[in-house]
Amino acid sequence: MNKRTRLVVLLAVLALCFVFLWPSISWYGRTPKELQQLALGSTENIKSYAELKAAEDVRAIKKMMAEDSSAVLADEYSWIKKDVAKRYKNLDKKAPKEMTLKVVLGAYDSEMDFMSVFQTRYRDEILKAKKYYENSVKLGLDLSGGMNIIVKADLDAALASAGDSVAAENAADFKKEAMANAIENLSSRIDKFGLTSPVIRQQGDDRIYIEIPGAAQADAINTLIMGKGVLNFRLVDMEATNSFKAYYAQNPASTFNAVGELMDASIIPSDCEVFGVYTKDEYGLDERYDWLVVKKEIALDGQHVKSAEIRNDEFTNELQVCFNLDAEGAVIFGEFTGAHVGDNLAIVSDNKVKSNARIQTAITGGSVSLTGGFNYDEADNIKKVLQTAWLNVPLEVESQQVIGASLGEESIHQGIMAIILGLGLILIFMLIFYKASGINAVVAQILNLYIMFAVLSAFNYTLTLSSIAGMILTIGMAVDANVLVFERIKEELRQGKSRSAAISLGFDNAFWAIMDSNITTFIAALFLAWLGTGSIQGFAVSLAIGVLSSVFTALFVSRLMFDFDTDVMHAKKVSIGWGIKQ
Amino acid sequence: MKKTFNFSKGFIPTTVISCALIVFGIVGFLTKGINLGLDFKPGLIEEVRVANPVADISYNGSANISMDLSAGQMDLVITGSSSNNETRSFNFAVLKTVNELAAEINKIDGITMNVRNGSYDTTKLFLNSAVTNQLTNTAIYIYPAGTSEVTTDDIRAALGENGVDIKQLGSGADASYQIRMGVSEGDTQNDIQVSVNEKLYSRFGKENVAIVKTDFIGAGMSKSTTTKSIIMFVCVVLLIWAYAAIRFHWDFALGSVIALIHDTLIMFTFICWTGMEFSTTTLAAVLTIVGYSINATVVILDRIRYNLKMMPEAKKFNEILNKSLSDTLTRSVLTTVTTLFAVISLYVFTTGSIKDFSLAMIVGLISGMYSSIFISSAFISACRKNWQPEFGVHHSLKTVKADE
């Protein structure tokens, strides 16, 4: 390759690295904390936030409009002008020069239409930040502080407790389902806390990994993990529900406090509670679409549910969710439904209403079916909720770690100081020992660090203290490739070779030594990254990336710099150390 | 021309020294054992501080407020549809005491900060890590860092149990205490932790105990980590050996593997006798040294192979070894020195497990340099005692002919 091609390749690599790094730079450097906080919230929170904020703005504009319809649009809303102009253009009309409120509102068909523009704006701003977060390097718990828990699900015990109802050949399927169920339960229970971006995922066949960044109420979360899900049936108070919804429509932002408690408890009857009614959105996440006020008194405890399945109605072919109660439950349920024909009954699971059905007639005998024009997914969700009542998967905490946020901050500080000192010492040493050629090594090391961060960012890797240690170590080891080349060049120079010949031979002769030594380290690092967990993995991944990028910088970048000096700067000698006659 | 050192003279003495060190390590392992970390020996470690809070803070309103406290400032991040979405920062360079800080914070609508010790320095505050940082009706306590009056004995008296290990971290009024206890099969994390905390609460008062950090590893987890670690180590060594055997002659490959096993054993000797905690982080250090040591050895082997071609006049294999070792000596020393720079800066700045990691690394690095020069070469030299110049890279003429 000639020099120009090599330079283009180098610049392309650097540009690509910058693209990878951009989300991290944007998130950590350019996103204000309050926006970070909003972006880390659940999609449900983001949605309701955008709705409420939009409603507030539209109300304010309408108020201004009522006062003076020919007033000019306030500066804070000037962003909407673009959209207004576009709408006029679509209607083949020319937008008036002066954007009065009347002109602005005239561009929209309805208030809903107008409001949706505001909603989109609020939502997009947060979602953009969220996207940056998703594509950036994450800080591990030891750097950000927080809590992580690994829970083991005892699937064999769950299988045993299910007894004969599961055939032996279905055992594997049953375990899979039980596991999915356990994760689902934990997620929805943890959701209740409204924490910022908790991570819950399956690890291996029977382990669940939970990570809660920032600070969390450790004892409450422990209790919640070990506790059983709460499922019950409760009577709905329709009258109170309607009056609550009217109140909520008026005061959407000030009905609940930050932890979801009512600010003013007197708006619903004292024997009632208000819960959101949830469905699954297209991503399988809980999404609230309504409110329901239900009695505090429990009509039937979920533990009486013994099995649940989905069936097609024989006549209408409509989907039904059917469940069976044990003998005691059948009696309670029979009496209760008999007394409340015509009322609504809600299925409440962990403070979320999952289903709400009208009691058509007294249900005796313990076999219940729910109809309501469900599609298959809806029916399946209700079935899963009911399953939680009898599908008992014992959980055991295998490991737990809680680290204070300030401790994390201290670790970041330590890591940065160690990088600066380590890099600084190495650079000074290389400059003294190899004189001007040391500059090549210095540039190679700085690029090395840059490429390492970019690759970590590209893989959305989690940065921990041990991966920082891996990086620092890689810097130390990466100098090795440069040293090998420089020593070889020195040898050639000692034998009286010219600059360009010495450089060319030096790189060629050092090539296999560099490759062999780095490939062996790379094998070790890759293997550890694949098999290791926690600190070993973080460390190995940085080491593997560092090995690759150090080979690139030492062989490619440093060579290019030497050649540039030879051909463009017409250098005749090599400044590569002390006591070498040229 | 560079000077050639007579390294081969050192082969026998260094082998004896290394063997002696390793035997010393084995003795240490048998008599003292290894101080296993939580990853390998299940249990609970909890670091606590005991101090009277200087203030408490609570909030009554519909916004979502989270509190970040660092050495230089306090941030209140206020979000939610009913708020202006802002971050309020309180700089401790300006607000020097708790009183001044509280005066500013109480200006925010809905927040109440009750001061208990108003003259305390704001730069030395910390929060309980096991408590949410979201402000609610429930008060969050803010603790002073330098007013601890309890001692290890107080903590021991509070827990009053056998099998609990208590260590003081930091000194004097700034101290925190590390409580470590083992678990046996069947113990659940929640029960142990709750019982420890309850005992501390009843002795010192609930609001006076702040948890800095907790770590729990159950019996099942720790067992699987141990098995996995051993498999991992063996596999890494085998893989490296396989690669080296493909690239080099078998005795070269074996020599390099012997060198890296040597380094591992030297590190274990060090870990054993210093009583350093052996955790997965320390294991990572050992595994890095494995990679590093092979790296150093391979560079030398590469040079030996090169010199074999370049030195047809050599009569004895040791001459080639000496020449190769001398050629690569600068590189061996330089690379070790630069890596040591990096590791020493880690050692200086970090605390806890990473500090141990760096210390183990320092030992490993020096051992790695030493073994790549002496131990692997000593082995190769011993293997090629009867080498003749016409053998080339091979051991005997038989294989040379077979190749042709």
Side-chain angles (χ1 to χ4, degrees):
Chain A
M1 274 196 279
N2 68 26
K3 275 196 305 302
R4 192 167 300 156
T5 330
R6 283 189 281 160
L7 186 65
V8 171
V9 171
L10 174 61
L11 291 178
V13 169
L14 295 186
L16 188 68
C17 286
F18 186 76
V19 172
F20 288 148
L21 272 177
W22 181 243
S24 303
I25 298 173
S26 303
W27 176 258
Y28 292 105
R30 300 171 65 243
T31 310
K33 273 193 175 175
E34 60 274 13
L35 186 57
Q36 288 188 351
Q37 184 87 15
L38 285 171
L40 290 174
S42 65
T43 33
E44 184 197 333
N45 288 347
I46 295 174
K47 194 177 153 216
S48 72
Y49 169 81
E51 281 169 6
L52 291 172
K53 275 292 195 191
E56 208 175 278
D57 283 350
V58 170
R59 217 179 302 142
I61 291 179
K62 271 166 71 186
K63 202 173 146 215
M64 281 190 267
M65 173 90 174
E67 282 164 9
D68 179 9
S69 66
S70 59
V72 184
L73 190 71
D75 275 348
E76 55 179 313
Y77 302 117
S78 59
W79 53 269
I80 207 174
K81 284 180 186 165
K82 225 173 158 183
D83 190 63
V84 172
K86 207 170 84 192
R87 281 175 189 258
Y88 272 97
K89 209 176 157 196
N90 284 347
L91 295 169
D92 281 333
K93 276 196 269 182
K94 205 171 148 33
K97 267 220 177 76
E98 204 176 22
M99 288 278 180
T100 61
L101 293 172
K102 202 175 166 190
V103 171
V104 171
L105 283 173
Y108 297 90
D109 299 334
S110 65
E111 195 180 314
M112 280 301 282
D113 201 15
F114 187 54
M115 202 182 303
S116 77
V117 177
F118 281 81
Q119 273 179 24
T120 316
R121 182 177 157 81
Y122 279 112
R123 206 176 43 225
D124 287 355
E125 186 194 15
I126 301 171
L127 290 180
K128 193 174 152 200
K130 202 181 180 75
K131 196 153 189 173
Y132 280 142
Y133 172 73
E134 281 162 1
N135 290 318
S136 66
V137 175
K138 312 280 185 302
L139 293 183
L141 282 191
D142 51 352
L143 298 182
S144 69
M147 182 173 185
N148 79 28
I149 306 158
I150 295 175
V151 179
K152 189 179 175 211
D154 194 343
L155 297 177
D156 289 325
L159 188 62
S161 77
D164 297 334
S165 62
V166 184
E169 61 267 28
N170 292 334
D173 286 340
F174 172 83
K175 282 184 179 178
K176 223 180 239 170
E177 196 172 327
M179 192 63 193
N181 218 305
I183 294 177
E184 164 93 30
N185 274 337
L186 273 182
S187 313
S188 79
R189 275 184 250 164
I190 288 173
D191 252 10
K192 209 166 60 180
F193 281 81
L195 298 160
T196 47
S197 63
V199 177
I200 300 154
R201 62 164 183 263
Q202 187 170 345
Q203 218 175 40
D205 285 335
D206 56 358
R207 291 195 166 88
I208 305 168
Y209 177 81
I210 304 165
E211 182 176 295
I212 299 162
Q217 199 73 34
D219 49 351
I221 288 173
N222 279 334
T223 323
L224 164 150
I225 287 170
M226 299 319 293
K228 274 192 63 166
V230 180
L231 177 83
N232 48 47
F233 296 82
R234 304 204 210 174
L235 196 64
V236 178
D237 189 332
M238 283 318 280
E239 202 181 312
T241 300
N242 290 333
S243 69
F244 170 78
K245 282 204 250 184
Y247 176 86
Y248 183 74
Q250 289 300 316
N251 313 288
S254 56
T255 306
F256 295 100
N257 70 10
V259 283
E261 292 161 352
L262 279 177
M263 296 281 286
D264 176 6
S266 67
I267 52 179
I268 54 168
S270 60
D271 64 338
C272 288
E273 281 178 283
V274 60
F275 294 131
V277 184
Y278 288 80
T279 179
K280 295 275 173 198
D281 68 4
E282 52 200 304
Y283 305 107
L285 299 170
D286 276 339
E287 187 187 22
R288 197 197 67 236
Y289 67 96
D290 202 0
W291 296 101
L292 212 56
V293 178
V294 300
K295 295 280 181 208
K296 277 183 182 160
E297 189 194 347
I298 290 164
L300 178 75
D301 197 298
Q303 68 185 10
H304 293 295
V305 179
K306 284 298 153 231
S307 68
E309 61 174 340
I310 302 172
R311 246 188 254 152
N312 284 68
D313 188 280
E314 284 167 34
F315 298 110
T316 59
N317 207 29
E318 204 181 0
L319 281 174
Q320 301 179 318
V321 182
C322 304
F323 59 93
N324 290 307
L325 300 173
D326 62 7
E328 193 191 344
V331 175
I332 302 172
F333 203 63
E335 279 171 17
F336 182 82
T337 47
H340 295 279
V341 173
D343 283 339
N344 275 38
L345 193 67
I347 301 177
V348 184
S349 163
D350 288 312
N351 293 351
K352 287 176 177 176
V353 174
K354 295 295 174 107
S355 179
N356 168 23
R358 215 172 111 88
I359 302 167
Q360 307 282 8
T361 110
I363 302 164
T364 51
S367 174
V368 189
S369 64
L370 296 169
T371 49
F374 306 127
N375 64 29
Y376 185 80
D377 287 339
E378 286 165 352
D380 194 45
N381 285 331
I382 295 173
K383 186 190 95 173
K384 279 188 185 146
V385 169
L386 289 167
Q387 267 178 344
T388 60
W390 56 273
L391 192 67
N392 176 27
V393 184
L395 300 177
E396 186 194 349
V397 174
E398 278 215 316
S399 87
Q400 189 211 46
Q401 242 188 331
V402 183
I403 299 163
S406 54
L407 224 58
E409 215 164 298
E410 205 179 299
S411 301
I412 294 181
H413 181 73
Q414 291 174 349
I416 291 174
M417 290 306 284
I419 287 188
I420 292 174
L421 180 73
L423 195 62
L425 282 175
I426 291 167
L427 299 187
I428 292 169
F429 180 80
M430 290 301 278
L431 285 176
I432 293 175
F433 202 86
Y434 288 112
K435 293 162 111 183
S437 297
I439 295 171
N440 290 26
V442 170
V443 172
Q445 286 327 300
I446 290 170
L447 283 185
N448 211 355
L449 202 60
Y450 171 75
I451 294 173
M452 267 160 73
F453 266 111
V455 176
L456 284 177
S457 187
F459 288 124
N460 300 333
Y461 210 75
T462 305
L463 199 66
T464 58
L465 199 53
S466 65
S467 54
I468 292 181
M471 274 189 189
I472 296 173
L473 192 68
T474 317
I475 295 167
M477 287 171 71
V479 178
D480 177 53
N482 291 295
V483 170
L484 277 171
V485 172
F486 292 171
E487 286 301 311
R488 274 298 196 165
I489 294 178
K490 270 191 192 172
E491 270 174 50
E492 304 299 334
L493 287 172
R494 284 199 193 95
Q495 290 170 11
K497 301 248 169 52
S498 72
R499 174 186 164 106
S500 63
I503 288 172
S504 174
L505 278 170
F507 272 98
D508 289 349
N509 283 331
F511 182 80
W512 274 111
I514 292 175
M515 280 320 233
D516 280 335
S517 62
N518 280 297
I519 288 172
T520 42
T521 313
F522 187 70
I523 290 174
L526 211 58
F527 190 76
L528 293 183
W530 173 50
L531 246 191
T533 45
S535 59
I536 294 195
Q537 194 182 37
F539 177 80
V541 169
S542 338
L543 194 64
I545 295 170
V547 165
L548 288 181
S549 79
S550 73
V551 169
F552 172 76
T553 52
L555 290 180
F556 196 87
V557 180
S558 162
R559 178 73 189 264
L560 187 60
M561 288 176 69
F562 272 121
D563 289 355
F564 181 81
D565 281 351
T566 314
D567 298 347
V568 184
M569 310 299 283
H570 303 292
K572 291 276 176 287
K573 291 182 179 170
V574 195
S575 165
I576 198 162
W578 308 86
I580 291 163
K581 286 194 202 107
Q582 291 180 37
Chain B
M1 266 283 125
K2 264 177 156 179
K3 206 178 151 199
T4 302
F5 298 97
N6 199 354
F7 283 102
S8 53
K9 263 193 185 157
F11 287 166
I12 293 168
T14 48
T15 311
V16 172
I17 293 173
S18 288
C19 286
L21 273 176
I22 290 166
V23 169
F24 183 59
I26 294 170
V27 171
F29 178 74
L30 293 178
T31 55
K32 280 178 64 120
I34 286 185
N35 179 12
L36 290 173
L38 217 48
D39 302 322
F40 299 102
K41 197 173 148 200
L44 170 78
I45 290 183
E46 187 167 276
E47 192 182 328
V48 294
R49 280 172 185 261
V50 179
N52 296 316
V54 289
D56 63 65
I57 183 166
S58 57
Y59 169 69
N60 187 15
S62 59
N64 188 335
I65 303 185
S66 63
M67 172 166 63
D68 288 341
L69 182 68
S70 63
Q73 63 180 26
M74 179 194 259
D75 291 330
L76 292 177
V77 185
I78 307 170
T79 53
S81 39
S82 60
S83 74
N84 294 329
N85 289 315
E86 53 180 346
T87 302
R88 300 283 293 267
S89 296
F90 303 93
N91 192 336
F92 294 160
V94 183
L95 306 168
K96 290 201 167 65
T97 64
V98 174
N99 262 334
E100 291 170 44
L101 177 68
E104 282 301 310
I105 285 180
N106 280 324
K107 284 181 190 163
I108 300 174
D109 212 20
I111 298 189
T112 324
M113 181 161 167
N114 287 320
V115 177
R116 300 176 179 205
N117 178 0
S119 58
Y120 197 77
D121 187 356
T122 44
T123 55
K124 287 199 215 144
L125 300 178
F126 72 95
L127 300 171
N128 184 348
S129 69
V131 160
T132 174
N133 64 347
Q134 202 182 17
L135 300 186
T136 57
N137 296 327
T138 326
I140 295 180
Y141 297 105
I142 301 176
Y143 295 91
T147 62
S148 169
E149 285 168 0
V150 300
T151 63
T152 318
D153 291 333
D154 291 331
I155 306 269
R156 188 163 294 126
L159 296 173
E161 225 178 291
N162 296 327
V164 184
D165 199 19
I166 297 156
K167 212 160 77 183
Q168 181 174 339
L169 306 174
S171 57
D174 204 18
S176 62
Y177 297 91
Q178 193 186 63
I179 301 163
R180 175 169 179 167
M181 54 197 300
V183 290
S184 38
E185 205 92 35
D187 289 350
T188 71
Q189 168 264 343
N190 208 21
D191 295 347
I192 298 175
Q193 212 169 324
V194 166
S195 89
V196 167
N197 290 349
E198 284 303 326
K199 281 174 193 155
L200 290 175
Y201 294 160
S202 68
R203 177 81 161 74
F204 303 109
K206 183 166 183 182
E207 55 178 59
N208 295 336
V209 178
I211 296 165
V212 180
K213 167 174 174 181
T214 45
D215 239 321
F216 171 86
I217 297 215
M221 188 77 163
S222 136
K223 210 187 266 167
S224 73
T225 313
T226 312
T227 337
K228 227 170 150 185
S229 303
I230 295 169
I231 295 174
M232 214 148 63
F233 180 79
V234 172
C235 286
V236 166
V237 171
L238 283 180
L239 275 175
I240 288 176
W241 181 60
Y243 181 81
I246 293 167
R247 292 280 305 148
F248 301 99
H249 220 251
W250 70 265
D251 54 337
F252 283 26
L254 203 55
S256 60
V257 170
I258 287 174
L260 69 88
I261 290 174
H262 164 267
D263 299 336
T264 314
L265 293 175
I266 295 288
M267 281 173 87
F268 269 106
T269 304
F270 180 78
I271 291 167
C272 228
W273 281 103
T274 51
M276 182 191 284
E277 193 178 281
F278 187 76
S279 61
T280 45
T281 320
T282 331
L283 181 68
V286 173
L287 290 164
T288 321
I289 289 302
V290 167
Y292 179 84
S293 164
I294 192 75
N295 193 316
T297 315
V298 162
V299 170
I300 294 172
L301 296 183
D302 184 81
R303 192 67 190 206
I304 298 174
R305 192 167 52 183
Y306 174 84
N307 280 342
L308 261 173
K309 283 185 234 141
M310 292 296 164
M311 297 172 66
E313 75 285 356
K315 291 276 172 296
K316 283 242 163 233
F317 203 78
N318 276 355
E319 286 176 43
I320 298 173
L321 281 177
N322 283 335
K323 174 76 170 65
S324 308
L325 291 172
S326 307
D327 286 348
T328 50
L329 183 65
T330 324
R331 178 265 163 197
S332 300
V333 175
L334 275 189
T335 304
T336 310
V337 168
T338 52
T339 315
L340 272 177
F341 280 156
V343 180
I344 289 172
S345 65
L346 262 184
Y347 179 75
V348 170
F349 284 110
T350 54
T351 48
S353 65
I354 300 288
K355 204 180 185 76
D356 284 351
F357 167 90
S358 347
L359 195 59
M361 284 289 298
I362 292 173
V363 174
L365 279 174
I366 295 168
S367 159
M369 179 177 80
Y370 158 86
S371 73
S372 68
I373 294 174
F374 291 106
I375 303 300
S376 61
S377 311
F379 177 78
I380 296 167
S381 161
C383 281
R384 304 209 166 199
K385 235 189 251 154
N386 303 319
W387 181 83
Q388 305 279 316
E390 59 270 27
F391 293 176
V393 289
H394 300 282
H395 267 88
S396 63
L397 273 174
K398 221 199 267 164
T399 31
V400 179
K401 276 179 188 143
D403 271 7
E404 283 160 2

